[in-house]
Amino acid sequence: AQKITQTQPGMFVQEKEAVTLDCTYDTSDPSYGLFWYKQPSSGEMIFLIYQGSYDQQNATEGRYSLNFQKARKSANLVISASQLGDSAMYFCAMRVNTGGFKTIFGAGTRLFVKA
Amino acid sequence: DTEVTQTPKHLVMGMTNKKSLKCEQHMGHRAMYWYKQKAKKPPELMFVYSYEKLSINESVPSRFSPECPNSSLLNLHLHALQPEDSALYLCASSEGLAGGPLGNTQYFGPGTRLTVL
């Protein structure tokens, strides 16, 4: 069965510092995609970054990078130079290419950026 | 442009009412999704449409009725809802159901906050 685990319910980070949000996953499917989404209090889910299971390099998008360790089945999100606007809920998600191409989400991590 | 729009933003309805949620995208995406999200929980998949045909129904009660009238529009018809159906309803779209990052990535709308009295 596919599963996404985010073990940090809440995280605090000082403005301008880097922060790592943890995500581990479990699947027996060799082909899958990993995503991170940001959800501010307004409710919209904002796509941040994607990593494919066959990608050799870690994905990066501006201040976001995904630390992909396939053997450990982890896909941690690193946010560099945190900003106050980064305060939000962050969801890790996985999509497997079998079983109907469903996307499953982790429980989320609430990030608080302190001034 | 990666915009998915949803109307209304907020909806309050009684248990005997009939209402509809609307979702629209003009990115040429051929897969569209409905999710339900309760407070402080991750989104839960309800329905998936691919090329305007229902592809996945996650055993959702029949009081929720999806409709995809064309490739840009997705509706969710609501009838005889229960208070426990109060939630944020999110619509999403992706290029398709399969493929690499472009096909896989789902783009979400801002959601409709539904309250059932």
Side-chain angles (χ1 to χ4, degrees), chain B residues 6-8 11 13 18-23 33-36 46-47 49 54 60-69 73-79 81 85 88-91 112 114:
Chain B
Q6 288 187 245
T7 54
L11 178 63
M13 61 186 290
K18 284 186 181 180
K19 297 286 184 183
S20 296
L21 309 184
K22 180 179 173 182
C23 174
Y33 313 75
W34 280 115
Y35 287 86
K36 173 183 177 180
M46 299 175 71
F47 303 103
Y49 272 82
L54 185 63
V60 178
S62 60
R63 57 186 184 268
F64 295 92
S65 175
E67 179 198 18
C68 191
L73 277 176
L74 184 66
N75 298 321
L76 186 62
H77 303 298
L78 314 172
H79 174 53
L81 293 193
D85 296 322
L88 178 68
Y89 288 83
L90 292 162
C91 174
T112 294
L114 173 67

Side-chain angles (χ1 to χ4, degrees), chain A residues 30-50:
Chain A
S31 179
Y32 52 89
L34 296 159
F35 303 82
W36 278 92
Y37 286 91
K38 171 185 177 182
Q39 188 175 40
S41 56
S42 59
E44 183 174 1
M45 295 279 284
I46 302 167
F47 165 70
L48 295 178
I49 197 165
Y50 167 88

Side-chain angles (χ1 to χ4, degrees), chain A residues 31-94:
Chain A
S31 179
Y32 52 89
L34 296 159
F35 303 82
W36 278 92
Y37 286 91
K38 171 185 177 182
Q39 188 175 40
S41 56
S42 59
E44 183 174 1
M45 295 279 284
I46 302 167
F47 165 70
L48 295 178
I49 197 165
Y50 167 88
Q51 180 86 42
S53 59
Y54 296 118
D55 294 343
Q56 297 294 316
Q57 292 190 324
N58 288 343
T60 60
E61 288 286 348
R63 294 187 299 111
Y64 305 108
S65 61
L66 199 152
N67 185 358
F68 182 45
Q69 298 191 38
K70 196 169 183 177
R72 290 186 171 185
K73 293 190 174 180
S74 74
N76 298 339
L77 177 71
V78 180
I79 305 175
S80 63
S82 298
Q83 302 172 356
L84 295 177
D86 294 334
S87 294
M89 181 71 89
Y90 288 81
F91 290 100
C92 180
M94 176 173 67

